[in-house]
Amino acid sequence: MPTPTKGPRLGGSPSHERLMLANLATALFQHGKIQTTETKARRLRPLAEQLITKAKRGDLASRRRVLGVVKDKDVVYALFDQIAPRYSNRPGGYTRIVKTGPRKGDNAPMAIIELVEELQVAEPKVNKKTAARKAAQQDKVEALAPADEAPKSAPADQDSEAPKSAPADQDSEAPVSASGDTDAAREDSDEATENKA
């Protein structure tokens, strides 16, 4: 059982307090920021951050847990599809509380609680093994590329001065005979057989 918060409850009963916090969370996700008392803002912050963390998971069980608190389906849709992806690479701290002046009627300390805007775009996570495999595959493709295709990064004047290297393909070299004859020895033997005939 969670430790109860110190001090008096926000509403008259625990159920009233839960409903007040659920309505505040709904308004926060709907408008992006709301103005309320400091006490309510401090009590709302952990609830709102837990809901955003569940929305970042994005599975059906998390959606049902969030729907148990936030009853408006449009707000839940916005939370899962618009708000949570903004914080995909942020481990926490999705809200900010800014104190404002006291309320005019009863001098209650007021605050604005708002969602922190994420400035950097979330980069897709890359698996190290997958990246290594793609790099190895790219190296293989470059090694098997024909020699007449010049690399795009090499300047044109380098290609004209430097001789083109033979490709590293195994079929590019002449086959060696099992008897150890070389090309010159085979040509001499071919000429000798032609002279006899």
Side-chain angles (χ1 to χ4, degrees):
M1 182 172 156
T3 306
T5 56
K6 294 182 180 178
R9 283 193 298 270
L10 298 177
S13 64
S15 60
H16 186 201
E17 181 177 343
R18 279 196 303 270
L19 288 172
M20 285 175 60
L21 291 176
N23 288 336
L24 285 170
T26 302
L28 176 65
F29 297 139
Q30 190 172 13
H31 301 292
K33 69 178 180 177
I34 55 172
Q35 183 174 9
T36 183
T37 61
E38 283 183 30
T39 308
K40 288 180 184 176
R42 286 193 187 129
R43 295 291 300 277
L44 173 62
R45 176 183 241 171
L47 176 67
E49 297 204 359
Q50 287 173 1
L51 293 175
I52 292 174
T53 303
K54 287 176 185 165
K56 279 172 59 176
R57 276 190 232 137
D59 56 347
L60 181 62
S62 300
R63 191 174 290 263
R64 287 178 175 164
R65 295 290 295 263
V66 171
L67 275 167
V69 177
V70 178
K71 302 298 183 189
D72 190 354
K73 290 183 181 180
D74 294 333
V75 174
V76 173
Y77 175 79
L79 176 63
F80 273 77
D81 291 348
Q82 297 167 3
I83 296 172
R86 289 193 313 205
Y87 304 115
S88 62
N89 59 348
R90 188 181 182 105
Y94 313 118
T95 58
R96 171 190 304 129
I97 296 176
V98 179
K99 295 180 182 180
T100 60
R103 189 160 52 194
K104 192 171 184 181
D106 59 354
N107 205 28
M110 299 296 284
I112 293 176
I113 182 168
E114 59 186 352
L115 296 173
V116 176
E117 293 297 326
E118 189 68 25
L119 297 178
Q120 53 192 356
V121 177
E123 297 177 2
K125 293 182 180 178
V126 178
N127 191 354
K128 292 180 182 178
K129 290 182 182 179
T130 307
R133 278 192 217 122
K134 285 184 179 180
Q137 184 67 21
Q138 184 65 26
D139 292 342
K140 286 180 186 177
V141 168
E142 290 174 0
L144 294 176
D148 54 71
E149 293 181 10
K152 293 179 181 177
S153 61
D157 58 334
Q158 280 185 347
D159 291 339
S160 61
E161 295 174 5
K164 293 182 180 178
S165 62
D169 192 12
Q170 63 182 359
D171 296 334
S172 64
E173 298 175 3
V176 179
S177 67
S179 62
D181 293 340
T182 60
D183 291 335
R186 270 188 252 127
E187 288 176 5
D188 292 339
S189 63
D190 290 340
E191 289 176 8
T193 53
E194 286 177 4
N195 291 339
K196 289 181 183 177

